[in-house]
């Protein structure tokens, strides 16, 4: 039974009333006069523009971002928002959170810069997402079709006009979201369709069901090959091998199951290449990273990192106190969409597609010149943990705020924000 907090006492109510009647000091903080020299570099340390003097009073992150765009000669319609990290001179210290103008001098002096006016400050500029998000004003389409609850959904990497859904009516469906009409029904499973995933090139869709099988379908809804049999219990999650890691046009597929295993399949032949066993409970989520590592979350309270080539365990990430429900990678978006991007320029050859997909992955994963694919895990213990398995098995951060179990987590397309959903009826946005 939940503990109910007692109502406030008379004294507490009186003090609260008095606080509301006292006028707050709204005097703006004083900002020291002066300026500093700013040198702009990208994440690899390459200088972006000439060194320029910036007045402290105007040194907000937004103003500095506008200044950098101007120095780069961009038109206002082409401005890219930037996030800045401050590199302390003659030190390896990096200040991740850009301070306000009133805090700027204090922060620099705290790190040993006594006279900032005579010091050139290096600002590492990280471009933010350029995607424009339209405000939600009304529902555009309500498309009936499934006979039971929808349990999984994913847009095609080719276009947001094509949506796939899996349902408790034992079918998956493809929908045209532009016209608001169903395209086709994928029949074949004898149990609920719990998981689905588009192949990164958008040619095929994989579905996993309570009937213990994985099925592959083409864009017209026709089955491709035979069902993939091998799991002893139902399928909980599916992940395709990233496009730039394909060899000889032979994609692979990972499926997670309640039988506590992950299976790696050769999609063209339906053959099992590896069975990853090591979890002691149901595997709730699987992700295939861009460095050919597979990440799995389980009800045994751990996240495991596997080598996809050899099928061996590399790390066990243990910090959660209850089931781990979901995982997300900072590179999920670029791995899912491969060579498709907002320019709509699709390379002609397979090799060119592979090169573009790899470039997009490396650009999204690179942190200070190194590939750093980060993982976020969500759990029934009301918390999330941020990990960088390349650095070790200790979490980088613990994210607290949900009041009940966290059942879903996702990175923004540019990897800088994290969204989480929990049973406390809240969706929270977190800055990385």
């Amino acid at each position: 039974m939940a503990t109910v907090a007692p109502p406030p006492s008379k004294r507490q109510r009186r003090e609260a009333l008095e606080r509301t009647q006292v006028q707050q000091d709204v005097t703006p903080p004083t900002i020291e006069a002066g300026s500093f020299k700013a040198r702009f570099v990208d994440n690899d340390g390459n200088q972006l523009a000439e060194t320029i003097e910036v007045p402290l009073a105007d040194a907000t992150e937004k103003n500095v971002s506008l200044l950098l765009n101007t120095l780069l000669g961009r038109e206002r319609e082409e401005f890219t928002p930037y996030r800045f990290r401050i590199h302390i001179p003659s030190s390896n210290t990096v200040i991740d959170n850009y301070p306000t103008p009133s805090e700027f001098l204090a922060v620099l002096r705290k790190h040993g810069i006594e006279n900032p006016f005579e010091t050139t400050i290096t600002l590492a500029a990280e471009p933010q997402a350029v995607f424009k998000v339209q405000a939600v004003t009304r529902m555009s389409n309500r498309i009936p079709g499934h006979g039971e609850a929808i349990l999984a959904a994913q847009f095609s990497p080719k276009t947001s006009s094509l949506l796939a859904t899996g349902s408790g009516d034992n079918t998956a469906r493809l929908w045209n979201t532009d016209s608001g009409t169903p395209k086709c029904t994928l029949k074949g499973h004898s149990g609920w369709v719990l998981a689905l995933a588009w192949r990164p090139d958008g040619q095929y869709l994989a579905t996993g069901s309570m009937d213990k099988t994985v099925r592959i379908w083409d864009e017209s809804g026709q089955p491709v090959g035979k069902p993939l049999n091998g799991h002893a219990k139902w399928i909980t999650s599916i992940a395709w091998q990233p496009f730039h890691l394909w060899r000889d046009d032979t994609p692979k597929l990972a499926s997670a199951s309640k039988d506590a295993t992950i299976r790696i399949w050769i999609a063209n032949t339906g053959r099992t290449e590896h069975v990853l066993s090591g979890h002691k409970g149901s595997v709730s989520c699987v992700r295939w990273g861009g460095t050919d590592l597979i990440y799995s979350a389980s009800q045994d309270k751990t996240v495991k990192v596997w080598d996809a080539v050899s099928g061996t365990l590399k790390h066990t990430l243990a910090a959660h106190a209850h089931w781990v429900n979901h995982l997300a990678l900072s590179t999920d978006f670029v791995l899912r969409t491969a060579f498709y991007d907002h320019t709509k320029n699709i390379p002609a050859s397979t090799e060119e597609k592979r090169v573009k997909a790899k470039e997009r992955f490396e650009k999204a994963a690179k942190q200070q010149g190194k590939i750093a694919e980060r993982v976020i895990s969500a759990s029934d213990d009301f918390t999330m943990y941020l990990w960088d398995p390349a650095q070790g098995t200790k979490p980088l951060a613990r994210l607290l705020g949900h009041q009940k179990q966290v059942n879903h987590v996702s990175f923004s397309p540019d990897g800088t924000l994290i969204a989480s959903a929990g049973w406390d009826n809240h969706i929270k946005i977190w800055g990385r």
Side-chain angles (χ1 to χ4, degrees), residues 110-326:
K110 179 182 176 183
H111 289 84
I113 302 176
E114 294 301 329
N115 192 352
F117 307 117
E118 297 180 0
T119 306
T120 299
I121 306 300
T122 300
L123 299 178
E126 181 181 330
Q128 303 298 284
V130 295
F131 298 97
K132 306 298 182 186
V133 180
Q134 295 181 346
V136 177
T137 55
R138 61 183 178 85
M139 179 176 63
S140 60
N141 286 303
R142 181 181 181 275
I143 319 174
H146 280 298
E148 293 291 342
I150 295 173
L151 306 173
Q154 191 179 88
F155 283 104
S156 167
K158 279 186 180 181
T159 171
S160 59
S161 300
L162 186 60
L163 174 69
T165 57
S167 169
D169 62 7
N170 302 352
T171 69
R173 287 178 182 250
L174 300 182
W175 311 83
N176 185 322
T177 57
D178 287 340
S179 63
T181 56
K183 184 179 177 183
C184 55
T185 302
L186 285 55
K187 296 181 179 179
H189 285 295
S190 58
W192 297 358
V193 180
L194 300 175
L196 51 80
W198 286 98
R199 206 172 77 172
D201 63 355
Q203 300 293 327
Y204 295 109
L205 175 75
T207 57
S209 169
M210 285 190 76
D211 64 11
K212 311 173 194 175
T213 67
V214 175
R215 291 175 180 262
I216 300 176
W217 317 78
D218 63 19
E219 288 181 284
S220 65
Q222 296 301 311
V224 177
K226 295 181 180 179
L228 308 182
N229 290 289
H231 283 293
K233 293 186 178 180
W234 61 74
I235 313 300
T236 56
S237 184
I238 294 173
W240 285 93
Q241 183 184 32
F243 186 85
H244 67 273
L245 298 175
W246 292 10
R247 296 292 176 266
D248 304 321
D249 289 332
T250 305
K252 298 177 185 178
L253 177 72
S255 61
S257 171
K258 191 174 171 61
D259 65 9
T261 68
I262 302 102
R263 284 180 174 260
I264 300 177
W265 310 85
I266 307 295
N268 294 351
T269 63
R271 180 176 62 86
T272 301
E273 184 178 55
H274 296 297
V275 178
L276 311 181
S277 57
H279 282 296
K280 298 176 182 177
S282 171
V283 183
S284 50
C285 187
V286 65
R287 287 286 184 271
W288 200 317
T291 56
D292 228 2
L293 296 176
I294 291 177
Y295 307 88
S296 59
S298 170
Q299 291 183 0
D300 64 6
K301 304 184 271 190
T302 68
V303 175
K304 291 188 183 291
V305 185
W306 312 82
D307 186 319
V309 177
S310 62
T312 56
L313 179 66
K314 290 183 70 73
H315 302 296
T316 296
L317 311 179
H320 285 292
H322 213 300
W323 297 352
V324 185
N325 297 320
H326 202 250

